[in-house]
Amino acid sequence: MRHQPLVIGNWKMNLDYVEALHLGQQIGVMLKNKPVEHVDIVLAPPFVDIRSVTSIVESEKIPVEVAAQHVNANENGAHTGEVSVSMLKRLNVTWVLVGHSERRSMYAMDDATVSATLRHALRGGLRVVLCVGEALEIREADDQDEFVRTQLVSALKGIDARFHELLSVAYEPIWAIGTGRTATSEQVASMTAHIRNVLSSLGVDAARVLYGGSVNTENAATIVREGLVDGFLVGGASLKAESFLSIVQSCDDCYDGKR
Ligand code: PGA
């Protein structure tokens, strides 16, 4: 593994602030009982839960950082329902997901908006996880490499080198998200290599490449070992402390030549 692994729990539109507090607390207790040495852990709760989660993380000194699932590309103004980078930073949020496929497909986030949002978040000092991945038709036509290349180039072309260390990429094939149908280790390994090539052609060599899509306690160890990823973006399995931390543990076990 080339980088310290990164595992992000994307809670999506689940858990109210009381439930979020409970899950944060459980994760804190479990990490205290069984510390994880080599994994950067990030929690991405819904906006309305962020304050509760950052408060408990700070008061209990839980070794995790907090992400937002989305941010607006503008600094402020007439954007009903949206949230800005500075609002997130004020809450000690340090990461943001940009261009999750659910934002792209359900909320009309096109490549231009993804690019503008990513640049705005980086300029504001947030760490960005750029999400890319193809729909089933594209995979069936074997066009996934070109599709993902276009998404990466459109989002990252011309990004100032001083921002490179803030970037990670999550490969999330849409057909694997929330479906229980995980990409095979070969598919993940091949796409991870492709993404690293495209990143390197853009001069972005340092970015971690994650996989997301029905990751669970059963498949995490194999995918991290054979898929050659630097970690995971986890949806459903991040809603329970046990399953989330068992995925984190798989990455910890794999780190440092242990794979
Ligand atoms: P899933 O979601 O793990 O529930 O498939 C992953 C994601 O969308 O980030």
Side-chain angles (χ1 to χ4, degrees):
M1 209 173 244
R2 308 185 318 169
H3 303 284
Q4 163 127 334
L6 167 64
V7 179
I8 305 175
N10 176 12
W11 297 357
K12 306 195 179 185
M13 197 173 73
N14 295 295
L15 310 182
D16 62 31
Y17 87 93
V18 177
E19 295 165 328
L21 260 180
H22 283 153
L23 180 55
Q25 257 158 350
Q26 276 181 313
I27 290 174
V29 169
M30 289 179 68
L31 284 175
K32 204 165 267 172
N33 292 339
K34 192 162 186 243
V36 171
E37 272 180 84
H38 301 295
V39 183
D40 293 331
I41 307 172
V42 177
L43 307 178
F47 285 135
V48 293
D49 298 349
I50 286 178
R51 181 120 172 92
S52 329
V53 174
T54 52
S55 307
I56 181 125
V57 163
E58 283 154 27
S59 66
E60 303 290 321
K61 299 194 174 29
I62 305 173
V64 304
E65 290 187 69
V66 178
Q69 299 171 14
H70 171 65
V71 71
N72 190 270
N74 298 282
E75 193 36 53
N76 53 30
H79 299 282
T80 302
E82 291 286 290
V83 165
S84 74
V85 168
S86 53
M87 290 171 186
L88 295 174
K89 291 199 71 184
R90 188 77 148 177
L91 289 170
N92 295 339
V93 167
T94 44
W95 293 75
V96 65
L97 309 183
V98 174
H100 189 282
S101 63
E102 287 154 16
R103 300 296 318 173
R104 293 180 192 254
S105 67
M106 295 181 216
Y107 302 99
M109 193 175 191
D110 59 15
D111 281 344
T113 314
V114 169
S115 170
T117 306
L118 178 133
R119 282 153 217 266
H120 184 65
L122 290 174
R123 277 196 296 272
L126 289 177
R127 295 188 174 277
V128 168
V129 182
L130 169 66
C131 303
V132 297
E134 79 287 353
L136 188 57
E137 315 84 80
I138 295 171
R139 170 63 64 170
E140 283 173 349
D142 200 24
D143 284 337
Q144 65 278 358
D145 284 5
E146 197 41 43
F147 183 84
V148 168
R149 172 194 301 282
T150 305
Q151 286 186 319
L152 289 168
V153 171
S154 144
L156 299 176
K157 199 161 183 195
I159 293 278
D160 195 301
R162 77 195 140 111
F163 296 132
H164 289 179
E165 56 154 10
L166 299 177
L167 276 170
S168 300
V169 172
Y171 170 56
E172 298 206 302
I174 295 170
W175 45 272
I177 296 179
T179 57
R181 177 177 169 191
T182 326
T184 64
S185 298
E186 296 74 39
Q187 288 171 325
V188 176
S190 150
M191 183 56 85
T192 306
H194 174 62
I195 289 173
R196 289 208 176 103
N197 282 337
V198 177
L199 289 175
S200 153
S201 75
L202 293 167
V204 186
D205 287 302
R208 285 184 279 198
V209 181
L210 314 180
Y211 169 77
S214 299
V215 175
N216 59 36
T217 47
E218 281 81 45
N219 59 28
T222 312
I223 301 177
V224 76
R225 202 173 50 243
E226 296 173 8
L228 309 177
V229 287
D230 301 307
F232 294 119
L233 179 52
V234 187
S238 71
L239 297 174
K240 295 264 180 301
E242 294 78 11
S243 46
F244 181 60
L245 291 179
S246 127
I247 293 166
V248 168
Q249 190 62 52
S250 308
C251 292
D252 199 42
D253 293 344
C254 209
Y255 183 68
D256 219 353
K258 286 188 262 171
R259 75 162 62 189

